[in-house]
CSV table of all heavy atoms in Angstrom, one decimal:
chain,number,residue,atom,x,y,z
C,57,SER,N,-138.5,197.3,-300.5
C,57,SER,CA,-139.1,197.9,-301.6
C,57,SER,C,-138.9,197.1,-302.9
C,57,SER,O,-139.5,197.5,-304.0
C,57,SER,CB,-138.6,199.3,-301.8
C,57,SER,OG,-137.2,199.2,-302.1
C,58,GLY,N,-138.1,196.1,-302.9
C,58,GLY,CA,-137.8,195.4,-304.1
C,58,GLY,C,-136.7,195.9,-304.9
C,58,GLY,O,-136.4,195.4,-306.0
C,59,SER,N,-136.1,197.0,-304.5
C,59,SER,CA,-135.0,197.6,-305.3
C,59,SER,C,-134.2,198.5,-304.3
C,59,SER,O,-134.6,198.8,-303.2
C,59,SER,CB,-135.5,198.4,-306.4
C,59,SER,OG,-136.2,199.6,-306.0
C,60,LEU,N,-133.0,198.9,-304.8
C,60,LEU,CA,-132.2,199.8,-304.1
C,60,LEU,C,-132.7,201.2,-304.3
C,60,LEU,O,-133.2,201.6,-305.3
C,60,LEU,CB,-130.7,199.7,-304.6
C,60,LEU,CG,-130.0,198.5,-304.2
C,60,LEU,CD1,-128.6,198.5,-304.9
C,60,LEU,CD2,-129.8,198.4,-302.7
C,61,PRO,N,-132.5,202.1,-303.3
C,61,PRO,CA,-132.9,203.5,-303.5
C,61,PRO,C,-132.1,204.2,-304.5
C,61,PRO,O,-130.9,203.8,-304.7
C,61,PRO,CB,-132.7,204.1,-302.1
C,61,PRO,CG,-131.8,203.2,-301.4
C,61,PRO,CD,-131.9,201.9,-302.0
C,62,PRO,N,-132.6,205.1,-305.3
C,62,PRO,CA,-131.8,205.8,-306.3
C,62,PRO,C,-130.6,206.5,-305.6
C,62,PRO,O,-130.8,207.0,-304.5
C,62,PRO,CB,-132.7,206.8,-307.0
C,62,PRO,CG,-133.9,206.9,-306.0
C,62,PRO,CD,-133.9,205.7,-305.2
C,63,SER,N,-129.5,206.6,-306.3
C,63,SER,CA,-128.3,207.3,-305.8
C,63,SER,C,-128.3,208.7,-306.3
C,63,SER,O,-128.4,208.9,-307.5
C,63,SER,CB,-127.0,206.5,-306.1
C,63,SER,OG,-125.9,207.2,-305.7
C,64,ASP,N,-128.1,209.6,-305.4
C,64,ASP,CA,-127.9,211.0,-305.9
C,64,ASP,C,-126.5,211.5,-305.8
C,64,ASP,O,-126.2,212.6,-306.2
C,64,ASP,CB,-128.8,211.9,-305.0
C,64,ASP,CG,-128.4,211.9,-303.5
C,64,ASP,OD1,-127.4,211.3,-303.2
C,64,ASP,OD2,-129.1,212.5,-302.7
C,65,HIS,N,-125.6,210.6,-305.5
C,65,HIS,CA,-124.2,210.8,-305.4
C,65,HIS,C,-123.8,212.0,-304.5
C,65,HIS,O,-122.7,212.6,-304.6
C,65,HIS,CB,-123.6,211.1,-306.8
C,65,HIS,CG,-123.7,209.9,-307.7
C,65,HIS,ND1,-123.1,208.7,-307.6
C,65,HIS,CD2,-124.6,209.7,-308.8
C,65,HIS,CE1,-123.4,207.9,-308.5
C,65,HIS,NE2,-124.4,208.5,-309.2
C,66,THR,N,-124.7,212.3,-303.6
C,66,THR,CA,-124.4,213.4,-302.6
C,66,THR,C,-124.3,212.8,-301.2
C,66,THR,O,-124.0,213.5,-300.2
C,66,THR,CB,-125.4,214.5,-302.6
C,66,THR,OG1,-126.7,214.0,-302.3
C,66,THR,CG2,-125.5,215.2,-304.0
C,67,THR,N,-124.6,211.5,-301.0
C,67,THR,CA,-124.6,210.9,-299.7
C,67,THR,C,-123.2,210.7,-299.3
C,67,THR,O,-122.4,210.1,-300.0
C,67,THR,CB,-125.4,209.6,-299.7
C,67,THR,OG1,-126.7,209.9,-300.2
C,67,THR,CG2,-125.4,209.0,-298.3
C,68,VAL,N,-122.9,211.1,-298.1
C,68,VAL,CA,-121.6,210.9,-297.5
C,68,VAL,C,-121.7,210.0,-296.3
C,68,VAL,O,-122.6,210.2,-295.4
C,68,VAL,CB,-120.9,212.2,-297.1
C,68,VAL,CG1,-119.6,212.0,-296.4
C,68,VAL,CG2,-120.8,213.2,-298.3
C,69,THR,N,-120.9,209.0,-296.2
C,69,THR,CA,-120.9,208.2,-295.0
C,69,THR,C,-119.5,208.2,-294.3
C,69,THR,O,-118.5,208.5,-294.9
C,69,THR,CB,-121.2,206.7,-295.3
C,69,THR,OG1,-120.2,206.2,-296.2
C,69,THR,CG2,-122.6,206.6,-296.0
C,70,SER,N,-119.5,208.0,-293.0
C,70,SER,CA,-118.3,207.9,-292.2
C,70,SER,C,-118.1,206.5,-291.8
C,70,SER,O,-119.0,205.8,-291.3
C,70,SER,CB,-118.5,208.8,-291.0
C,70,SER,OG,-117.3,208.7,-290.2
C,71,ARG,N,-116.9,206.0,-292.0
C,71,ARG,CA,-116.5,204.7,-291.5
C,71,ARG,C,-115.4,204.8,-290.5
C,71,ARG,O,-114.4,205.4,-290.8
C,71,ARG,CB,-116.1,203.8,-292.7
C,71,ARG,CG,-117.1,203.6,-293.8
C,71,ARG,CD,-118.2,202.6,-293.3
C,71,ARG,NE,-119.2,202.5,-294.3
C,71,ARG,CZ,-120.4,202.7,-294.1
C,71,ARG,NH1,-120.9,203.2,-293.0
C,71,ARG,NH2,-121.3,202.5,-295.1
C,72,ILE,N,-115.6,204.3,-289.4
C,72,ILE,CA,-114.6,204.3,-288.3
C,72,ILE,C,-113.9,203.0,-288.3
C,72,ILE,O,-114.5,201.9,-288.1
C,72,ILE,CB,-115.3,204.6,-286.9
C,72,ILE,CG1,-116.0,205.9,-287.0
C,72,ILE,CG2,-114.2,204.6,-285.8
C,72,ILE,CD1,-116.9,206.2,-285.8
C,73,HIS,N,-112.6,203.0,-288.4
C,73,HIS,CA,-111.8,201.8,-288.3
C,73,HIS,C,-110.5,202.0,-287.5
C,73,HIS,O,-110.0,203.0,-287.5
C,73,HIS,CB,-111.4,201.3,-289.7
C,73,HIS,CG,-112.5,200.9,-290.5
C,73,HIS,ND1,-113.2,201.7,-291.3
C,73,HIS,CD2,-113.1,199.7,-290.5
C,73,HIS,CE1,-114.2,201.0,-291.9
C,73,HIS,NE2,-114.2,199.8,-291.4
Side-chain angles (χ1 to χ4, degrees):
S57 67
S59 65
L60 288 172
S63 174
D64 59 8
H65 300 289
T66 61
T67 303
V68 178
T69 61
S70 175
R71 300 284 180 240
I72 300 171
H73 291 94

